[in-house]
Amino acid sequence: MPFNPKIHHRRSIRIKEYDYSQAGLYFITICCRDRICRFGKIENGEMILNDLGKIVMQCWLDIPQHFPCAILHEYVIMPNHIHGIIELTVVGAQNLVPLQIPQMPLQIPQMPLQIPQIPLQIPQIQIPQKNAFQKIIPRSIGSIIRGFKIGVTIETKKILPVYSDSVWQRNYYEQIIRDEQSHKNIVNYIINNPTNWKG
């Protein structure tokens, strides 16, 4: 069936305190502007890509070349949207610079007793990055989707200049995949999406 956010429970607004550069699996849906069927058509339960749909597929498959932290899992390009699972393998907090504490020698005047120097051990605190309005965390899902959409727009204007504007609807929908059953359900949904299409 056509994508419906009320039915499929995707969220168009990022979770305020969540770090979308965290390692994990993310189910992504990106829609065409005005929900127009631009990428091809469904015939006998199979998606037939047109030229624009082929550009979208190639740009999607190229994501790991631009974002080595991303691994692509199941995906499907539909007439007016794309579904896909992206795995992030790098935690953004690992890229923080550890806190540097200068080592000060311990000096006790007029004391013959020798006191060994014990270096101060400060555990490295990894502070997760926060998703803020209008701010994209590097190597996050937001930065990957932004790069993908820009790539499609650039390639489309070169090859199919009839599309002078972006083909995409603003924003995207995401779902954090938290367990094996959820992952299994989403994979089945993606695989069966063309068969269930009623556009």
Side-chain angles (χ1 to χ4, degrees):
M1 74 177 75
F3 171 74
N4 184 330
K6 291 182 180 179
I7 295 174
H8 299 130
H9 306 291
R10 309 282 190 275
R11 298 188 60 181
S12 61
I13 300 174
R14 311 287 82 81
I15 299 172
K16 184 177 179 182
E17 300 298 320
Y18 190 81
D19 176 5
Y20 282 91
S21 67
Q22 281 193 101
L25 292 170
Y26 300 84
F27 177 33
I28 306 299
T29 298
I30 315 170
C31 297
C32 288
R33 193 180 60 183
D34 301 324
R35 305 294 174 90
I36 297 173
C37 294
R38 302 174 186 266
F39 301 150
K41 59 184 178 180
I42 302 287
E43 290 185 356
N44 300 319
E46 182 180 351
M47 178 63 191
I48 309 299
L49 296 175
N50 59 19
D51 290 341
L52 180 55
K54 292 174 183 176
I55 291 173
V56 171
M57 181 179 70
Q58 190 57 57
C59 288
W60 183 265
L61 296 176
D62 286 346
I63 285 175
Q65 295 182 24
H66 304 285
F67 297 90
C69 60
I71 297 174
L72 301 180
H73 290 259
E74 287 76 14
Y75 76 97
V76 64
I77 299 169
M78 298 294 289
N80 64 0
H81 63 277
I82 176 172
H83 292 303
I85 297 174
I86 298 177
E87 178 182 358
L88 291 188
T89 58
V90 176
V91 179
Q94 289 179 344
N95 299 313
L96 295 180
V97 177
L99 183 66
Q100 299 294 325
I101 305 294
Q103 298 295 322
M104 302 296 293
L106 183 62
Q107 295 182 355
I108 300 179
Q110 301 177 353
M111 292 286 291
L113 182 64
Q114 297 294 321
I115 299 177
Q117 298 293 320
I118 302 175
L120 183 62
Q121 297 293 327
I122 305 293
Q124 182 177 345
I125 300 174
Q126 296 185 349
I127 305 172
Q129 303 177 76
K130 294 182 180 179
N131 187 68
F133 180 70
Q134 296 286 336
K135 294 182 180 179
I136 295 179
I137 301 170
R139 294 170 298 280
S140 67
I141 286 295
S143 66
I144 291 171
I145 300 307
R146 180 174 181 268
F148 164 71
K149 291 169 78 171
I150 290 172
V152 170
T153 300
I154 291 173
E155 290 302 310
T156 300
K157 287 180 180 179
K158 288 194 301 188
I159 300 171
L160 303 170
V162 65
Y163 294 100
S164 57
D165 297 321
S166 174
V167 301
W168 299 112
Q169 177 176 293
R170 185 183 178 189
N171 220 324
Y172 62 96
Y173 303 90
E174 99 290 324
Q175 179 178 328
I176 304 162
I177 302 176
R178 300 186 182 276
D179 55 56
E180 186 176 348
Q181 185 59 51
S182 176
H183 178 255
K184 182 179 178 181
N185 293 341
I186 290 169
V187 167
N188 288 334
Y189 174 78
I190 291 173
I191 292 172
N192 295 319
N193 214 232
T195 304
N196 296 328
W197 173 260
K198 302 196 188 314

